[in-house]
Amino acid sequence: TRRLILPEPFLAIDGVLDLTVNVAGGIVVYEKMIRANLMAELPFMATENLMMAAVKAGADRQEVHELIRRHSKEAARRIKSEAAANDLIERLQVEPVFAGIDLDSILDPSRYIGRAPHQVDAFIEKVVDPIRKRYPDRGERRPELRV
C-alpha cells in the first residue's frame, strides 16, 4: 500500500503543475480590451466617490445618493435589456449637483487599485525572485502533455 499511497499524490501534483504551466504559458493579455471592460464598469464602482465629491461641493448627501441610485438603476437596465453602453457618467454630467466636479479625475482607474502594485512588487521581490535565482534554468522547460 505504501508503494502506491506515497508516490500517487506527487504524480498528481506533477500533472497539475504541467497543466498549469501549459495553460498559463498560452495566456495572451489584451490590454485594450481589459481597459474597455474596466471603463464600462468603473462608473458603477466609482459612485461612492462621485457622491462624496458632490457632498464636498455642498450637495445634500441623501439627494445625491437618490440621484445616483436612480441613474445607476436606469443605466444598468439599459445595459442588461438593450445591450447598450454604460451611460451613467453622461447622465450624471447633466445634473446640477455635479457641475464643477472633475468627473474624469474621479474616474481615473489608478484611484481604485489601492496597494496592489506595491503588494505585487513585494511578492515578486520576496517570493518569485529567490525561486528564479535558485532555479535559473527551470523557466525554459515546457511540459509535454499527452492525453
Side-chain angles (χ1 to χ4, degrees), residues 76-136:
R77 185 200 62 75
R78 285 188 66 241
I79 291 168
K80 293 173 186 171
S81 65
E82 301 172 19
N86 187 347
D87 66 343
L88 178 59
I89 296 306
E90 289 79 14
R91 290 168 175 275
L92 296 177
Q93 282 175 330
V94 299
E95 294 291 342
V97 296
F98 290 105
I101 296 175
D102 184 9
L103 298 180
D104 291 333
S105 170
I106 294 170
L107 291 172
D108 177 10
S110 67
R111 294 179 63 148
Y112 299 90
I113 58 175
R115 295 187 60 241
H118 173 73
Q119 291 170 326
V120 168
D121 290 343
F123 178 79
I124 289 173
E125 180 183 327
K126 293 176 183 171
V127 177
V128 176
D129 285 345
I131 292 171
R132 285 181 176 163
K133 287 177 186 167
R134 194 175 325 137
Y135 305 103

Side-chain angles (χ1 to χ4, degrees), residues 11-74:
L11 292 172
I13 290 171
D14 185 54
V16 168
L17 292 174
D18 281 348
L19 285 170
T20 302
V21 168
N22 191 340
V23 170
I27 289 178
V28 178
V29 176
Y30 296 102
E31 290 183 32
K32 290 181 181 178
M33 191 68 217
I34 292 170
R35 180 161 183 80
N37 289 336
L38 172 65
M39 296 312 288
E41 295 298 323
L42 187 60
F44 292 119
M45 295 186 290
T47 55
E48 184 175 350
N49 291 18
L50 292 166
M51 181 175 60
M52 296 313 294
V55 169
K56 283 181 185 176
D60 178 74
R61 187 187 183 288
Q62 268 322 108
E63 289 175 14
V64 176
H65 181 272
E66 179 58 26
L67 182 76
I68 290 174
R69 186 190 69 77
R70 190 169 17 96
H71 283 303
S72 293
K73 284 182 73 172
E74 181 56 26

